[in-house]
Amino acid sequence: MPKVLQIAKKILLGDDIFMSNQINSASGRPRSIHADQAILQATLDLLAEVGYQSMSIEAIASRAGVGKTTIYRRYTCKEELVADAIESLRDDLAIPDTGSFWGDMDIVIKNAAKKIDSPLGRQTLALIISTASSNPQFAEVYWTKYIKLRREAFAKVLERAQSRAEINDNADIDLIIDLVSGSLYYALIFKPTTEPVEAYMRRTIDILVKGIGHGEQGKRLRGKG
């Protein structure tokens, strides 16, 4: 098993989960936290060992030591289970409101780099990209459950900047998020520079905000900020 997944296993299956091994589900039935974590870890293990296409609910259940019905009570499909398993390795990214665009962005960049720029963070990113690129159903589920929500939160930072006239009120927010996300992933995977990821991302966003054109074109790209 890859070292980063061994670390993840420790995190997921630590002794603390035995302090309270059951919670009530929405239906009122007892739900085992240990089973939840075992299912997620089994999914991660098989994803690393055999890949998305070759893994099955039956294999996950066998590895986790639970019945298939235990999994189907929690997940409607394999795509949803894999999305939750991968997401279990990631922390939520809080979106600040400091009152200024760069005040917010500096915190966002710092927190993102801290959580993603690590062996486990890069391994998680690789799992997301490899699985989504080979399975459209997984990509759709992961987008709906996780990526879309993060984008909406990030969009609030840009919308507040627009309301303060820090960036162009006609700026394409979705495209800005695409460019920032793509730059972050590129920096994490290929490390195109020796500077820290935080510095690279701040420089990238600064260029994006200022624009790269001359004359009237540059004014349109730069907006009001």
Side-chain angles (χ1 to χ4, degrees), residues 64-119:
V66 301
K68 287 192 298 182
T69 55
T70 301
I71 295 178
Y72 284 122
R73 280 199 297 266
R74 291 161 169 78
Y75 301 100
T76 59
C77 59
K78 184 174 77 170
E79 291 80 12
E80 185 180 358
L81 169 54
V82 173
D84 276 10
I86 292 176
E87 194 65 17
S88 71
L89 299 176
R90 308 183 72 187
D91 295 325
D92 290 334
L93 188 61
I95 300 298
D97 185 3
T98 64
S100 73
F101 173 75
W102 275 114
D104 291 347
M105 287 308 306
D106 282 340
I107 294 175
V108 169
I109 293 169
K110 181 179 180 180
N111 289 342
K114 180 179 179 181
K115 293 174 181 178
I116 301 177
D117 189 19
S118 66

Side-chain angles (χ1 to χ4, degrees), residues 157-175:
V157 170
L158 300 175
E159 289 165 358
R160 289 196 297 259
Q162 285 179 325
S163 69
R164 294 187 296 260
E166 293 175 304
I167 63 174
N168 196 323
D169 56 6
N170 292 322
D172 188 333
I173 287 179
D174 284 334
L175 183 58

Side-chain angles (χ1 to χ4, degrees), residues 109 113 117 184 187-188 191 195-202:
I109 293 169
D117 189 19
L184 176 60
L188 289 171
K191 291 191 174 297
E195 66 186 325
V197 171
E198 291 179 47
Y200 176 81
M201 289 308 302
R202 200 182 198 286

Side-chain angles (χ1 to χ4, degrees), residues 1 25 41 54 64 69 72 86 95 107 116 144 148 157 179 181 201 212 215 219:
M1 184 190 305
S25 65
Q41 185 59 49
S54 298
T69 55
Y72 284 122
I86 292 176
I95 300 298
I107 294 175
I116 301 177
T144 302
K148 185 178 179 182
V157 170
L179 293 171
S181 300
M201 289 308 302
I212 57 175
K219 290 179 181 178

